[in-house]
Amino acid sequence: MKALHSQDEMYTRTDETLADIIAYGQPNLGMQPFGQAYGGTLSPSDIDSIVTFMRYTWDDARCSRPEPR
């Protein structure tokens, strides 16, 4: 699996999927769960904030760019 911040992952995953990955973790890939319900320390609103940060800093598709002339 590619890193979450890679373009292929950001463009193909929904916000809900990204939040689930953060909350549940990916134990088979060495990523522990971060959601409070699964033993981590992050609340659902913390996870939502992280997903928003990821989208608006890593995802070029959400940034408006002027069309080339």
Side-chain angles (χ1 to χ4, degrees), residues 1-4 9 13 21-22 24-34:
M1 172 174 256
K2 295 180 182 178
L4 283 178
E9 294 298 315
R13 308 258 184 192
I21 291 170
I22 295 167
Y24 305 138
Q26 295 183 314
N28 57 330
L29 298 173
M31 181 181 169
Q32 67 185 21
F34 290 97

Side-chain angles (χ1 to χ4, degrees), residues 31-57:
M31 181 181 169
Q32 67 185 21
F34 290 97
Q36 288 175 338
Y38 306 98
T41 59
L42 299 176
S43 70
S45 66
D46 293 336
I47 293 171
D48 288 344
S49 295
I50 291 170
V51 170
T52 299
F53 172 82
M54 290 166 62
R55 283 288 182 210
Y56 289 98
T57 21

Side-chain angles (χ1 to χ4, degrees), residues 3-4 6 10-11 14-16 19 21 23 25-26 44 46 51 64 66 68:
L4 283 178
S6 72
M10 292 301 294
Y11 294 147
T14 65
D15 288 358
E16 182 179 11
I21 291 170
Q26 295 183 314
D46 293 336
V51 170
S64 60

